Every structure is written in structure tokens, then in C-alpha cells.
């Protein structure tokens, strides 16, 4: 499609609105060009002019015989944000009308709607912030209600963090095999097995250096999170060695939560759970994604539903009393009934956390075929997410964090649910960017947060394990910035 911008440059938001409806369209943006009928396919023209003491907005949608235009007029004093919102609203309404649909999150395209609601609440009060979401951003009532609940749950968790708080993320970017829908930079064990021992050695070195910095700076470590990949791809001995380095070098006296993702049931053993328990870690994640064997096969997960149940019960026997389980709505081959059965199976196990994700689509090759399928798929996935919300609420869970991802089917969201008192703090802190997060391991990003402000500085580790190992010294040298960053604010 072509997006023609005349008298304005709201390309970022206008492109994002187009992607909500047409995620597979390649968007060609041109400036100060007229739609003279020569562009193939869909053409959208957004024009802003100043005339007679007013700002005039117009958006035209043109494809074949369809040629619709909407206009709006704003006072001359309208600021850039108001003009942008006016323009995107016209575009949104034209696309809704043309495609006979609407979006559950309306004009919200960012991944952190809770953060936006919190910011607007701080500026204008809660009622005004909610009205903005409802009336200006056109967010549907069920999503707004959920957002409001999450805001309040999150506020209690955020209040636990202080200006000198920090968290630690440890990246283990290895998995036994690759799931079809995976978007992470994880290496399969078959391909990267030879790298693992050296990777663990370097990671221990990095953890020791960062731990020493945390102590030196007197920062309060609130949460530790091992993610990936699948951390339990490592042997029990390797996991124990990493836990011991953390214990020796970090001050753990304030840690409220320590999580190890044991995501793939095909990686866990009693020995690994015992190693996790021995280190005093009680929060783990075991992720079935679905409790339907044919769906597991369809997404390339090389484990069965029975493997998941065995892993879950083993974890309980090893003393794990805070378990998260992930489900995904919209998986290929899944149905509303299948998803409901998966959810019932999970609820019966009474995990402390359930995270319900929406599948994100990869780019499709045939737009027309995909679009027809997508409409049905979006409706089914919306039903699954709504069902999960009702059923988990009835079962005593509360939503405590929420985020969106681009290309999620039907523009649905991801929500973390927990029983009271067991919400995953790290998930909230990373999503809200509440305090500094030290990232160790390949692909990890350290986000240094200026105390008392929203300013963040990022330090990137190399993405792939072989780069992480080969250029380790260079990367560790970058970490020196942590000390000078904090020294500015002393
Ligand atoms: S377990 Fe997670 S990180 Fe690993 S391949 Fe599957 S989706 Fe990707």
C-alpha cells in the first residue's frame, strides 16, 4: 500500500494504525505526492493544511472503486499531539468502515498501555485518563476494564521498588529444539552444545563483575530472573555453579523473588529442581502452551502433555510453591474448545501464576488467503482471551501485568494472572521500566534507570553465544559504565 503524507509527518503513528488492520502489507510512505490514481492497490492520503485560522485534517482511502474521505477541523492552537491524534482517528475510522471491523485496543499501538494509563492518571486524574482511553483512543470497554484492574494491582507492586532498587536478568539462550512460533534468538542444543561449557564460564565471570558493582554501589537487589531460551537446558551442576556465583558476589539480602524459567518440560529433572530448591529459589515457570498433543506437535514442541504433567508434579514434590504456567491463544490447529480444555487442565493444577499469551503471526506470503483466514482466527482468539479472563477471575486469579505485541492475532494482548500475593514482580518491573535491570548473558540488555526520573540508558550484550564468548572482554569493558552512570547521581 502507499501512504501519502501532505503537510505533515505523522508517518510513524499512521503506519502503525495501518499495520493494526493490515499486518502483512508493505507500506511505501511518500511525502507531498498526490494520489492521481496511478498507485496500485490501497492508497491512503493524509493532508494537513492551515487556513482561515484553523487546522484542517483530511484522510482519503482509495482502492479500486472505493474512494472515501473523512475530514476534521481543529483550532489553530492545536499542538502536534492533538493533530496527530486527529489524523490517526480519521484513518482508523476509514479502515474500520472499509474492512467492517474494529480493534479491541482502538488506536493504542504501543506495547505498554498500562504505563500510558498510569502516566495520564498522574497528569490528569484517573477519570480523565480512563475517558481519554475510551473516547479518544477508542479502546473497547472489556479491555479498558482489564487495564484498570491491572493498573491498580501493579501500583501495589511498584510501590515496593525504591530509587536505589535494581533487578538481575540472566540469559540462557539455549533450547533443546526450536518451537515453530519462536521469535527469540535461542540456539538449539544440537547446534550449540559445544558452546555451552564456555558460555557458562564467561557468564559466571560477568555475573561476578556485575555483582561486585551492585555491592559497591549499595544497590538493593529486588528480583533475580533466569530466562532465555530455556535455562533448564543447562545441567544441574552448571545451574548450581551459576547460583553460587550470584550468592557470592551479589548482596541478596533484599531479594523478594528469584525465578528460573524451566519452560520446556522436556528439559527438567529431579536433580535440576533439587539444585534450584537448594539455592532457595522457589519461583519457576513450566510452560505447556497447550494441553492438546496434536497442537503441541503442530507447533514443533517436542514434548507431550503427559511430559508437562510429570514435570509439574515433580516440581511440586521438590518443594516449588510458586509455579507459573504459560498458555498461548491462537495456536495453529487449536480451537475454542481445545483452548478451554487446556485452561481447565491448568486451573485444576492450581499453579500460582498463569500467563496467557496471544500468538504473534509471522509474515504471511499470500495476503488474500491470509486475510480471509485471519478474520476467523482473530474472532476465535478474541474468544479464547475473553474466556481465559472470565475463567481465571472465577478461579481466584487476578491480572497483574499486561502487554501487547505487534502482529498478535486479532491485536489481543498478553496477561499475567496470579493468585493474591504471588504476582511475578520481575515481569512488572521489566515492563514498567521501574528500576535498573542488569542483564547478563548473550542478548541481555542492561537498562540503567536514573533515580527519580524516567531516563534510561541501555548497555547491550552481544546477541549470539559465539559472539558473547569471542568478544567477552570488549563487552565487559562496556559494563564499567554502570559505575560512572551512578556516580553522576551521588
Ligand atoms: S522454548 Fe521458548 S525460547 Fe525456546 S524455542 Fe521454544 S519458544 Fe523459543
Amino acid at each position: 500500500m502507499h501512504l501519502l503524507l501532505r503537510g505533515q509527518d505523522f508517518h510513524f503513528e499512521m503506519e502503525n494504525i495501518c499495520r493494526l488492520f493490515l499486518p502483512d502489507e508493505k507500506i511505501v510512505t511518500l511525502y507531498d505526492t498526490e494520489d492521481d490514481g496511478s498507485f496500485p492497490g490501497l492508497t491512503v492520503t493524509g493532508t494537513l493544511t492551515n487556513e482561515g485560522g484553523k487546522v484542517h485534517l483530511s484522510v482519503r482511502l482509495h482502492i479500486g472503486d472505493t474512494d472515501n474521505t473523512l475530514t476534521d477541523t481543529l483550532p489553530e492552537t492545536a499542538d502536534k499531539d492533538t493533530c496527530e491524534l486527529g489524523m490517526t482517528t480519521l484513518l482508523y475510522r476509514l479502515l474500520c468502515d472499509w474492512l467492517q471491523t474494529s480493534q479491541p485496543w482502538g488506536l493504542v499501538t504501543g506495547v505498554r498501555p498500562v504505563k500510558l494509563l498510569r502516566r495520564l492518571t498522574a497528569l490528569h486524574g484517573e477519570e480523565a485518563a480512563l475517558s481519554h482511553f475510551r473516547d479518544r483512543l477508542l479502546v473497547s470497554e472489556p479491555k479498558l476494564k482489564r487495564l484498570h484492574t491491572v493498573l491498580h494491582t501493579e501500583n501495589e507492586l511498584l510501590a515496593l521498588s525504591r530509587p536505589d532498587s535494581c533487578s538481575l536478568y540472566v540469559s540462557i539462550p539455549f533450547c533443546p529444539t526450536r518451537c515453530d512460533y519462536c521469535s527469540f534468538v535461542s540456539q538449539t542444543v544440537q547446534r550449540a552444545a559445544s558452546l555451552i561449557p564456555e558460555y557458562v564460564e564467561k557468564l559466571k565471570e560477568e555475573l561476578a563483575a556485575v555483582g561486585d558493582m551492585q555491592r559497591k554501589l549499595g544497590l538493593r537487589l529486588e528480583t533475580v530472573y533466569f530466562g532465555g531460551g530455556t535455562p533448564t537446558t543447562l545441567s544441574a551442576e552448571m545451574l548450581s555453579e551459576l547460583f553460587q556465583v550470584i550468592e557470592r558476589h551479589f548482596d541478596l539480602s533484599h531479594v523478594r523473588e528469584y525465578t528460573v524459567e524451566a519452560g520446556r518440560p522436556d528439559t527438567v529433572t529431579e536433580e535440576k529442581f533439587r539444585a534450584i530448591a537448594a539455592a532457595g529459589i522457589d519461583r519457576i515457570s513450566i510452560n505447556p502452551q497447550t494441553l492438546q498433543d496434536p497442537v503441541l506437535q503442530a507447533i514443533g514442541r517436542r514434548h507431550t502433555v503427559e511430559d508437562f504433567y510429570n514435570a509439574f508434579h515433580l516440581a511440586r514434590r521438590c518443594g516449588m510453591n510458586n509455579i507459573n504456567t504459560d498458555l498461548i491463544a491462537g495456536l495453529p490447529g487449536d480451537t475454542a474448545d481445545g483452548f478451554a480444555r487446556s485452561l481447565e487442565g491448568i486451573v485444576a493444577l492450581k499453579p500460582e501464576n498463569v500467563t496467557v499469551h496471544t500468538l504473534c503471526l509471522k509474515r504471511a506470503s499470500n495476503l488474500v488467503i491470509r486475510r480471509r483466514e485471519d478474520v476467523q482466527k482473530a474472532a476465535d482468539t478474541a474468544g479464547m482471551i475473553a474466556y481465559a479472563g472470565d475463567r481465571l477471575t472465577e478461579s481466584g486469579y487476578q491480572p497483574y501485568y499486561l502487554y501487547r505485541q505487534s502482529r498478535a492475532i486479532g491485536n489481543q494482548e498478553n496477561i499475567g494472572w496470579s493468585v493474591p500475593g504471588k504476582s511475578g514482580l520481575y515481569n512488572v518491573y521489566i515492563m514498567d521500566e521501574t528500576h535498573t535491570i542488569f542483564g547478563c548473558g548473550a542478548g541481555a540488555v542492561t537498562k540503567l534507570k536514573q533515580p527519580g526520573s524516567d531516563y534510561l540508558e541501555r548497555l547491550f550484550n552481544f546477541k549470539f553465544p559465539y559472539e558473547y564468548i569471542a568478544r567477552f572482554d570488549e563487552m565487559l569493558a562496556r559494563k564499567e559504565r554502570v559505575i560512572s552512570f551512578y556516580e553522576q547521581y551521588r
Side-chain angles (χ1 to χ4, degrees):
M1 67 170 286
H2 285 82
L3 179 62
L4 311 182
L5 304 183
R6 298 170 57 77
Q8 47 101 358
D9 186 13
F10 302 137
H11 74 102
F12 184 74
E13 272 306 302
M14 291 191 76
E15 287 168 10
N16 280 343
I17 296 291
C18 294
R19 283 195 195 100
L20 286 179
F21 293 84
L22 305 162
D24 291 308
E25 278 289 274
K26 183 170 181 294
I27 303 171
V28 178
T29 303
L30 300 172
Y31 292 88
D32 297 322
T33 306
E34 250 183 88
D35 178 5
D36 57 4
S38 64
F39 294 107
L42 177 65
T43 306
V44 168
T45 310
T47 308
L48 183 149
T49 52
N50 283 285
E51 257 175 45
K54 299 268 184 205
V55 177
H56 301 273
L57 308 176
S58 127
V59 179
R60 176 185 175 200
L61 182 151
H62 177 204
I63 179 168
D65 293 339
T66 304
D67 194 346
N68 296 327
T69 300
L70 286 177
T71 60
D72 197 4
T73 307
L74 299 172
E76 196 179 26
T77 49
D79 61 13
K80 188 171 166 281
D81 287 352
T82 309
C83 294
E84 184 178 73
L85 182 58
M87 192 68 82
T88 49
T89 304
L90 296 180
L91 173 59
Y92 178 84
R93 290 194 188 284
L94 280 169
L95 287 165
C96 284
D97 189 46
W98 176 50
L99 294 166
Q100 294 293 293
T101 186
S102 63
Q103 298 297 336
W105 286 95
L107 295 154
V108 173
T109 57
V111 298
R112 297 182 169 90
V114 189
K115 199 170 177 183
L116 178 61
L117 181 60
R118 182 174 302 108
R119 189 160 60 78
L120 293 179
T121 300
L123 287 172
H124 309 295
E126 191 171 283
E127 266 318 299
L130 289 171
S131 299
H132 183 82
F133 266 74
R134 184 184 297 112
D135 305 330
R136 306 295 301 274
L137 299 177
L138 309 176
V139 173
S140 69
E141 211 48 50
K143 297 300 180 200
L144 190 56
K145 202 169 154 220
R146 189 78 77 221
L147 194 62
H148 188 214
T149 311
V150 173
L151 177 76
H152 283 270
T153 326
E154 269 197 18
N155 283 348
E156 288 171 27
L157 307 176
L158 295 178
L160 300 172
S161 174
R162 307 188 334 185
D164 60 346
S165 292
C166 66
S167 287
L168 169 67
Y169 176 79
V170 185
S171 164
I172 310 293
F174 304 103
C175 287
T177 54
R178 196 175 174 85
C179 310
D180 290 350
Y181 58 87
C182 181
S183 57
F184 294 104
V185 185
S186 67
Q187 306 269 302
T188 62
V189 166
Q190 293 103 311
R191 287 185 58 203
S194 60
L195 292 178
I196 292 179
E198 207 178 346
Y199 181 82
V200 171
E201 286 309 309
K202 293 293 182 202
L203 183 55
K204 280 158 53 182
E205 222 181 295
E206 188 185 14
L207 285 168
V210 172
D212 293 346
M213 289 179 196
Q214 179 243 344
R215 276 186 187 272
K216 183 173 172 193
L217 293 165
L219 298 174
R220 218 179 130 93
L221 188 64
E222 305 278 353
T223 71
V224 180
Y225 194 100
F226 273 66
T230 307
T232 41
T233 304
L234 302 186
S235 66
E237 294 73 32
M238 286 171 173
L239 288 170
S240 294
E241 285 171 24
L242 291 169
F243 301 151
Q244 282 160 16
V245 170
I246 291 175
E247 202 177 333
R248 268 200 308 277
H249 289 269
F250 284 82
D251 171 6
L252 299 178
S253 55
H254 298 288
V255 169
R256 299 173 190 274
E257 176 186 284
Y258 199 146
T259 304
V260 172
E261 281 190 6
R264 292 269 294 255
D266 46 347
T267 60
V268 299
T269 61
E270 179 161 353
E271 221 189 341
K272 292 181 196 180
F273 281 143
R274 298 272 175 223
I276 292 170
I281 302 163
D282 74 332
R283 188 172 189 274
I284 57 165
S285 215
I286 309 177
N287 302 327
Q289 315 301 15
T290 168
L291 293 184
Q292 313 302 309
D293 274 322
V295 180
L296 282 176
Q297 280 163 24
I299 59 175
R301 298 272 288 195
R302 303 276 168 81
H303 64 83
T304 61
V305 172
E306 195 187 346
D307 291 336
F308 162 73
Y309 277 112
N310 289 339
F312 190 94
H313 293 308
L314 177 63
R316 284 289 197 228
R317 283 201 302 280
C318 294
M320 298 293 142
N321 63 12
N322 191 357
I323 302 181
N324 173 67
T325 56
D326 278 6
L327 284 179
I328 302 181
L331 287 171
D334 205 1
T335 58
D337 278 357
F339 180 82
R341 282 199 302 277
S342 296
L343 191 74
E344 290 311 319
I346 292 296
V347 167
L349 286 174
K350 297 190 176 17
E352 288 68 25
N353 283 224
V354 181
T355 309
V356 183
H357 294 268
T358 301
L359 184 71
C360 291
L361 287 169
K362 292 182 176 176
R363 253 171 219 295
S365 49
N366 187 325
L367 176 65
V368 179
I369 292 172
R370 280 312 290 256
R371 280 207 49 73
R372 241 182 277 128
E373 286 173 357
D374 285 355
V375 172
Q376 185 52 46
K377 192 82 192 155
D380 290 350
T381 306
M384 293 175 190
I385 293 289
Y387 178 80
D390 293 344
R391 194 64 191 90
L392 288 168
T393 304
E394 266 171 38
S395 309
Y397 291 85
Q398 60 185 4
Y400 73 91
Y401 92 118
L402 180 158
Y403 67 101
R404 302 179 62 253
Q405 280 174 292
S406 59
R407 303 182 64 76
I409 297 179
N411 288 311
Q412 297 294 321
E413 64 283 354
N414 303 323
I415 298 189
W417 298 81
S418 76
V419 295
K422 294 285 189 180
S423 301
L425 293 173
Y426 174 81
N427 292 331
V428 175
Y429 296 148
I430 183 92
M431 198 44 64
D432 178 70
E433 299 173 323
T434 314
H435 54 230
T436 286
I437 301 214
F438 292 109
C440 292
V445 181
T446 294
K447 293 182 183 173
L448 299 169
K449 176 97 187 256
Q450 181 181 332
S453 96
D454 278 346
Y455 177 73
L456 276 182
E457 184 173 316
R458 291 175 171 78
L459 305 175
F460 294 88
N461 280 7
F462 290 110
K463 247 184 184 177
F464 298 100
Y466 66 86
E467 277 178 298
Y468 175 82
I469 294 168
R471 299 174 70 181
F472 184 76
D473 293 343
E474 184 188 330
M475 197 197 61
L476 204 58
R478 280 186 213 158
K479 282 260 168 25
E480 293 298 324
R481 171 66 185 141
V482 171
I483 301 288
S484 55
F485 177 87
Y486 274 101
E487 276 172 353
Q488 301 171 82
Y489 304 114
R490 303 227 148 196

